[in-house]
Amino acid sequence: DAKTTQPNSMESNEEEPVHLPCNHSTISGTDYIHWYRQLPSQGPEYVIHGLTSNVNNRMASLAIAEDRKSSTLILHRATLRDAAVYYCILRGPIRGSTLGRLYFGRGTQLTVWP
Amino acid sequence: SQTIHQWPATLVQPVGSPLSLECTVEGTSNPNLYWYRQAAGRGLQLLFYSIGIGQISSEVPQNLSASRPQDRQFILSSKKLLLSDSGFYLCAWMGGWTGELFFGEGSRLTVL
């Protein structure tokens, strides 16, 4: 399983943008980049995913480096409810040998200050 | 719409006792199913995954086992619990083409 590296923690003020980095230098050509977040005492929640192009959805944006060795999750305006652990994960092909298994690291603990 | 349920939500068990955690998915058929464990202050550890009835793959050798007796039912078991089995157990199923994981509410196990 390909590894990702994330900072242990980050802080932000409410209503400011947040850029959460992730390094994945050993990513393969078929690996998708997934982001999840986990609130205390809850299961992780899907945030966004991408392969090569930048992606936007109602929750966040995902910026992927041209060489795909790093990516950044962007929360455009942080709220107190965005305080969570954010996981950057690489997912192999669903129907390939990896069966789409996701391996979670320790993620980044995001603290949002009012 | 699809839903996933786990029970029990909370469990306190003595060392050496058996364990059974259940997970049921509704609204989808033949999903890939996963069991994860999260120890206190740690990330999620993939324990088992299943691509179909009776088909179980183990990620980490341990005293836990999993079974899938029905298409949408996934069970995590142990014959004799250890202190190190304490943690937050999460069941998940994988959505079709996106590969998105949908997690249940989790089962918090404390082994004393």
Side-chain angles (χ1 to χ4, degrees), chain B residues 34-50:
Chain B
Y34 305 81
W35 276 112
Y36 285 86
R37 176 174 63 196
Q38 187 171 35
R42 306 292 296 274
L44 278 74
Q45 180 186 30
L46 178 61
L47 301 176
F48 301 95
Y49 64 95
S50 171

mmCIF file of all heavy atoms in Angstrom, chain B residues 34-50:
data_model
loop_
_atom_site.group_PDB
_atom_site.id
_atom_site.type_symbol
_atom_site.label_atom_id
_atom_site.label_comp_id
_atom_site.label_asym_id
_atom_site.label_seq_id
_atom_site.Cartn_x
_atom_site.Cartn_y
_atom_site.Cartn_z
ATOM 1 N N TYR B 34 -15.915 -3.909 4.932
ATOM 2 C CA TYR B 34 -14.639 -3.745 5.630
ATOM 3 C C TYR B 34 -14.877 -3.617 7.132
ATOM 4 O O TYR B 34 -15.851 -3.028 7.574
ATOM 5 C CB TYR B 34 -13.923 -2.476 5.143
ATOM 6 C CG TYR B 34 -13.709 -2.428 3.647
ATOM 7 C CD1 TYR B 34 -14.745 -2.027 2.801
ATOM 8 C CD2 TYR B 34 -12.495 -2.776 3.080
ATOM 9 C CE1 TYR B 34 -14.570 -1.989 1.427
ATOM 10 C CE2 TYR B 34 -12.310 -2.739 1.699
ATOM 11 C CZ TYR B 34 -13.354 -2.344 0.884
ATOM 12 O OH TYR B 34 -13.170 -2.308 -0.485
ATOM 13 N N TRP B 35 -13.935 -4.162 7.916
ATOM 14 C CA TRP B 35 -13.872 -3.895 9.355
ATOM 15 C C TRP B 35 -12.565 -3.151 9.651
ATOM 16 O O TRP B 35 -11.482 -3.596 9.234
ATOM 17 C CB TRP B 35 -13.885 -5.195 10.167
ATOM 18 C CG TRP B 35 -15.232 -5.767 10.445
ATOM 19 C CD1 TRP B 35 -15.764 -6.929 9.943
ATOM 20 C CD2 TRP B 35 -16.235 -5.234 11.317
ATOM 21 N NE1 TRP B 35 -17.024 -7.126 10.440
ATOM 22 C CE2 TRP B 35 -17.337 -6.115 11.288
ATOM 23 C CE3 TRP B 35 -16.314 -4.096 12.145
ATOM 24 C CZ2 TRP B 35 -18.499 -5.898 12.030
ATOM 25 C CZ3 TRP B 35 -17.461 -3.890 12.874
ATOM 26 C CH2 TRP B 35 -18.540 -4.782 12.820
ATOM 27 N N TYR B 36 -12.700 -2.038 10.365
ATOM 28 C CA TYR B 36 -11.548 -1.273 10.828
ATOM 29 C C TYR B 36 -11.595 -1.208 12.349
ATOM 30 O O TYR B 36 -12.642 -1.292 12.964
ATOM 31 C CB TYR B 36 -11.588 0.163 10.301
ATOM 32 C CG TYR B 36 -11.240 0.339 8.847
ATOM 33 C CD1 TYR B 36 -12.207 0.201 7.857
ATOM 34 C CD2 TYR B 36 -9.933 0.671 8.459
ATOM 35 C CE1 TYR B 36 -11.883 0.374 6.521
ATOM 36 C CE2 TYR B 36 -9.608 0.855 7.126
ATOM 37 C CZ TYR B 36 -10.587 0.707 6.166
ATOM 38 O OH TYR B 36 -10.262 0.888 4.838
ATOM 39 N N ARG B 37 -10.413 -0.997 12.946
ATOM 40 C CA ARG B 37 -10.334 -0.763 14.386
ATOM 41 C C ARG B 37 -9.494 0.491 14.613
ATOM 42 O O ARG B 37 -8.477 0.704 13.953
ATOM 43 C CB ARG B 37 -9.690 -1.928 15.125
ATOM 44 C CG ARG B 37 -9.514 -1.668 16.620
ATOM 45 C CD ARG B 37 -9.016 -2.893 17.356
ATOM 46 N NE ARG B 37 -7.706 -3.315 16.905
ATOM 47 C CZ ARG B 37 -7.193 -4.518 17.177
ATOM 48 N NH1 ARG B 37 -7.890 -5.391 17.880
ATOM 49 N NH2 ARG B 37 -5.993 -4.831 16.753
ATOM 50 N N GLN B 38 -9.938 1.273 15.578
ATOM 51 C CA GLN B 38 -9.200 2.470 15.951
ATOM 52 C C GLN B 38 -8.918 2.421 17.444
ATOM 53 O O GLN B 38 -9.840 2.529 18.261
ATOM 54 C CB GLN B 38 -9.990 3.724 15.595
ATOM 55 C CG GLN B 38 -9.224 5.007 15.797
ATOM 56 C CD GLN B 38 -9.972 6.197 15.213
ATOM 57 O OE1 GLN B 38 -11.192 6.259 15.246
ATOM 58 N NE2 GLN B 38 -9.239 7.153 14.644
ATOM 59 N N ALA B 39 -7.664 2.228 17.804
ATOM 60 C CA ALA B 39 -7.285 2.287 19.209
ATOM 61 C C ALA B 39 -7.239 3.752 19.634
ATOM 62 O O ALA B 39 -7.153 4.651 18.798
ATOM 63 C CB ALA B 39 -5.927 1.617 19.420
ATOM 64 N N ALA B 40 -7.293 3.976 20.934
ATOM 65 C CA ALA B 40 -7.337 5.339 21.465
ATOM 66 C C ALA B 40 -6.158 6.168 20.940
ATOM 67 O O ALA B 40 -5.004 5.766 21.066
ATOM 68 C CB ALA B 40 -7.323 5.307 22.983
ATOM 69 N N GLY B 41 -6.472 7.318 20.320
ATOM 70 C CA GLY B 41 -5.434 8.222 19.843
ATOM 71 C C GLY B 41 -4.680 7.749 18.616
ATOM 72 O O GLY B 41 -3.646 8.325 18.272
ATOM 73 N N ARG B 42 -5.202 6.727 17.956
ATOM 74 C CA ARG B 42 -4.495 6.178 16.806
ATOM 75 C C ARG B 42 -5.338 6.314 15.542
ATOM 76 O O ARG B 42 -6.504 6.685 15.575
ATOM 77 C CB ARG B 42 -4.189 4.698 17.054
ATOM 78 C CG ARG B 42 -3.446 4.394 18.333
ATOM 79 C CD ARG B 42 -2.026 4.921 18.279
ATOM 80 N NE ARG B 42 -1.243 4.280 17.257
ATOM 81 C CZ ARG B 42 -0.582 3.132 17.441
ATOM 82 N NH1 ARG B 42 -0.652 2.517 18.598
ATOM 83 N NH2 ARG B 42 0.148 2.620 16.471
ATOM 84 N N GLY B 43 -4.704 5.971 14.415
ATOM 85 C CA GLY B 43 -5.435 5.960 13.154
ATOM 86 C C GLY B 43 -6.241 4.686 13.008
ATOM 87 O O GLY B 43 -6.267 3.838 13.902
ATOM 88 N N LEU B 44 -6.903 4.530 11.878
ATOM 89 C CA LEU B 44 -7.727 3.352 11.632
ATOM 90 C C LEU B 44 -6.887 2.221 11.057
ATOM 91 O O LEU B 44 -6.108 2.418 10.130
ATOM 92 C CB LEU B 44 -8.842 3.674 10.638
ATOM 93 C CG LEU B 44 -10.080 4.336 11.191
ATOM 94 C CD1 LEU B 44 -9.822 5.789 11.520
ATOM 95 C CD2 LEU B 44 -11.228 4.221 10.200
ATOM 96 N N GLN B 45 -7.075 1.044 11.620
ATOM 97 C CA GLN B 45 -6.365 -0.149 11.161
ATOM 98 C C GLN B 45 -7.344 -1.052 10.432
ATOM 99 O O GLN B 45 -8.377 -1.440 11.001
ATOM 100 C CB GLN B 45 -5.752 -0.883 12.349
ATOM 101 C CG GLN B 45 -5.001 -2.145 11.980
ATOM 102 C CD GLN B 45 -4.529 -2.911 13.201
ATOM 103 O OE1 GLN B 45 -5.141 -2.877 14.255
ATOM 104 N NE2 GLN B 45 -3.413 -3.621 13.049
ATOM 105 N N LEU B 46 -7.047 -1.393 9.188
ATOM 106 C CA LEU B 46 -7.900 -2.306 8.428
ATOM 107 C C LEU B 46 -7.706 -3.717 8.964
ATOM 108 O O LEU B 46 -6.585 -4.222 9.013
ATOM 109 C CB LEU B 46 -7.563 -2.237 6.941
ATOM 110 C CG LEU B 46 -8.335 -3.166 6.016
ATOM 111 C CD1 LEU B 46 -9.838 -2.878 6.069
ATOM 112 C CD2 LEU B 46 -7.830 -3.040 4.584
ATOM 113 N N LEU B 47 -8.804 -4.360 9.361
ATOM 114 C CA LEU B 47 -8.745 -5.703 9.934
ATOM 115 C C LEU B 47 -9.136 -6.770 8.910
ATOM 116 O O LEU B 47 -8.412 -7.731 8.695
ATOM 117 C CB LEU B 47 -9.677 -5.809 11.139
ATOM 118 C CG LEU B 47 -9.431 -4.857 12.297
ATOM 119 C CD1 LEU B 47 -10.518 -5.044 13.353
ATOM 120 C CD2 LEU B 47 -8.055 -5.075 12.887
ATOM 121 N N PHE B 48 -10.297 -6.619 8.313
ATOM 122 C CA PHE B 48 -10.821 -7.611 7.374
ATOM 123 C C PHE B 48 -11.550 -6.898 6.241
ATOM 124 O O PHE B 48 -12.053 -5.795 6.404
ATOM 125 C CB PHE B 48 -11.821 -8.562 8.055
ATOM 126 C CG PHE B 48 -11.260 -9.339 9.207
ATOM 127 C CD1 PHE B 48 -11.419 -8.874 10.502
ATOM 128 C CD2 PHE B 48 -10.592 -10.536 8.993
ATOM 129 C CE1 PHE B 48 -10.905 -9.587 11.576
ATOM 130 C CE2 PHE B 48 -10.078 -11.255 10.060
ATOM 131 C CZ PHE B 48 -10.226 -10.772 11.347
ATOM 132 N N TYR B 49 -11.626 -7.576 5.096
ATOM 133 C CA TYR B 49 -12.484 -7.094 4.034
ATOM 134 C C TYR B 49 -13.088 -8.289 3.320
ATOM 135 O O TYR B 49 -12.562 -9.412 3.386
ATOM 136 C CB TYR B 49 -11.733 -6.187 3.058
ATOM 137 C CG TYR B 49 -10.623 -6.839 2.290
ATOM 138 C CD1 TYR B 49 -10.837 -7.359 1.014
ATOM 139 C CD2 TYR B 49 -9.345 -6.907 2.825
ATOM 140 C CE1 TYR B 49 -9.810 -7.950 0.298
ATOM 141 C CE2 TYR B 49 -8.312 -7.508 2.124
ATOM 142 C CZ TYR B 49 -8.545 -8.017 0.865
ATOM 143 O OH TYR B 49 -7.529 -8.603 0.167
ATOM 144 N N SER B 50 -14.205 -8.044 2.658
ATOM 145 C CA SER B 50 -14.954 -9.133 2.028
ATOM 146 C C SER B 50 -15.572 -8.652 0.728
ATOM 147 O O SER B 50 -16.167 -7.584 0.674
ATOM 148 C CB SER B 50 -16.057 -9.626 2.973
ATOM 149 O OG SER B 50 -16.918 -10.527 2.303
#
